[in-house]
Amino acid sequence: MQLLKCSLINFTIISVFIDDISQFDPKKILVRNGEVTILVDKLSIKDNEIILYLKSEVNIKLPGSVSIYNASLPINYYPLYSTDEFNLRYYTDEELGIQYTREHTLFKLWSPAASYVNLLLYESGDPDSPEKPRKFKLQEKSGLWEVRVRGNLKGYFYTFELKVYDDVHEIVDPYARACGINGLRGAVIDLKETDPPGYIHHAPPHFDSSTDAIIYEINIRDLSIHPDSGIKSKGKYLALTEENTATSKGISTGLAHILELGATHVQLMPVFDYSFKSVDEKHPYRYNWGYDPQNYNIPEGSYAADAYNPCSRVYELKKAINALHKHGLSVIMDVVYNHIFKYEDSNLEKLFPGYYFRQNDDGTYCNGTGCGNDIASERPMVRKFILDSLLYWAREYKIDGFRFDLMGILDVKTMNEIGEKLGAGGLGLILYGEGWYMNTNLKDEDKAGMYNSHKLEHIGFYNDSIRDAVKGSVFNSLERGFVSGTPGLEDTVKFNLMGCSIDAFGKSAIFTSPGQCINYSSCHDNYTLWDKLRLSCPEASEEELKHMNKLADGIILTSMGVPFIHSGADFCRTKNGIENSYNSTDAVNRMDWHRKHHYLDVFEYYKGLIALRKSHSAFRLYDSRQIREHMEFIYTGRNSTAYILKNHANGDPWKDIIVIYNGSRDTVYVPLSQGNWNVVVDKFNAGTEPLYCINDNNVSVEPISMKILYLE
Ligand code: CA
């Protein structure tokens, strides 16, 4: 006989599955908990499951096992941690982490599984330098451990030493807000001293609607590392504080480039502390995007001027955000709560095994993320951890929005609490994420995927439908899309032009409003827009590829929803055909400012479209009712499409606006009503001022191009 599964479903109830119930003898069952035997009061049997009702509770600080004859299995405590009984006993809304004053520092940690916890205080932040720490014992009350240490501890580093079951671990406080080199020891700092001058009183830029945002996704290192970037702090946070930087040929770079382009929001790829195994902060030669979190509440050290000094990374990231705000740019942080770098080694798993990471019904760890673990966001203390972390970044760093990596791993309730506290109903931040369907152990109706968008009103989602329609699927490098000459996608494009928020063209609305729809043609993942077009259209000339590139993001910038541009797409960014460059070299990943010089006409085109979108509210409808009222399609034939925005849409000064996209290799003719139609965008130019006027019964649109006209 074999025990197949053994789980604690309440403090006094154990479920045991065995392979052959006919051999089972109730007298031979033995429940052990540490050194103690727990007596079974009664049991029930159904199929091959035995439910044991115990005479006393299982102590979760000690390991447990069930034996029948010679077969034995450890008890998995995971199911207990989802019960109301567990939460009633152990949930706490107390502030965790450290509370520093010059007189004393209070340390708080949560772990119902720990049997003792010590605070270890060090003078060095580097575990490689031998040192005997000062030790302080923490006291427990219902899983909450704390100790108050007298004196001014500023400048000390700390860890917690704790015993869980038979193991003693030394871990970094998951709530630590500063750390030593490589994030291996927390640091006691005075956060007030990390505020740049004028920081406290500066107000981030204000936005009424997410559809007013134009998001530009950047990577701290990529933005400035090019040898001719003209930026001094190459690859560092402080690069974002350098104004008016340019290449040797006078092409604007870094912050000056973003301002010249006109984006409103900068999305920073991971700036939280990511694993030292990806980038060693002592020798940050290796490159990594950083989607492998180590310390959620601390900035990454390799972007800091001095990663040994715990204040450096905090101060410099604040200074960079402050600089962006000063220029009217909002800052969105890319957050990766869905998984952690190697759960076995993580502080969270060592602190409380089986609590932070989601398990399958068979007791194995879920791996919907493909990174070996999925965060159990549905558990109250995990939800609190995520919310506390977001609120901390929003308040302390004045972050204006969050982008949730693999948001489909997280649960609807958590995302809604985030929406209520940080979104439109709360702090007014912009919130969106990857709403892909994820294979994790949550009910489908509880996953924060885009198919549940109606339950998540304050949350936006990346729109993969428009991404794949304009340029071909990301899963098939050779597939072409609307801009690369594929007919038959007209209805899909039209559905997307309305922010996927209207039932039309045989499709049901995906989003409740265009504000939930994050439109993009490319991002850091997959091929760059340019590389995808080049791969899928090997016969196309460079000139044709440029027009496809412009048309792809031209559609993104004139669709209803929230436009998102991958940095450098505005000058035909290439990664030399590398599809996943997460750990490629700087030469592959960096923004090549010489390329901007070469493709300056493409950059100017993006700039013109962005200026147009910003100055005309008709392109920024925030409600699906406005779309129904003001937006109408004009039939144009295959591989092309057009729409009209009628009657001063969203209070726009222009009465009627016609937008035409032609992905085909033929000229398209679109009928015009009588009047003087001013052209502001054509194949070569884009902006807000009329290029020329058309007074005719139709307008022609050249192959692979777009045109925008208005009637006053
Ligand atoms: Ca790090």
Side-chain angles (χ1 to χ4, degrees), residues 205-215 263-265 330 332 400-401 423-425 427-432 457-460 501 512-518 559-563 613-614 616-624 626-627 650:
H206 173 75
F207 273 81
D208 286 328
S209 160
S210 59
T211 54
D212 292 345
I214 298 165
I215 302 166
T264 64
H265 287 60
S330 299
I332 297 167
D400 306 287
L427 298 177
L429 273 57
I430 183 169
L431 306 168
Y432 56 93
E457 63 167 325
H458 299 307
I459 310 294
S501 59
T512 55
S513 78
Q516 279 190 310
C517 180
I518 310 292
S559 287
M560 294 309 154
V562 184
R613 185 177 175 101
K614 277 164 81 174
H616 286 278
S617 52
F619 295 105
R620 310 192 306 266
L621 307 183
Y622 52 84
D623 192 317
S624 51
Q626 295 173 306
I627 296 176
N650 202 11

Side-chain angles (χ1 to χ4, degrees), residues 182-183 272-276 279 281 294 299-302 313:
N182 278 328
F272 52 79
D273 180 39
Y274 51 81
S275 173
F276 68 96
V279 176
E281 295 176 0
Q294 187 177 320
E300 163 59 17
S302 62
R313 58 182 84 193

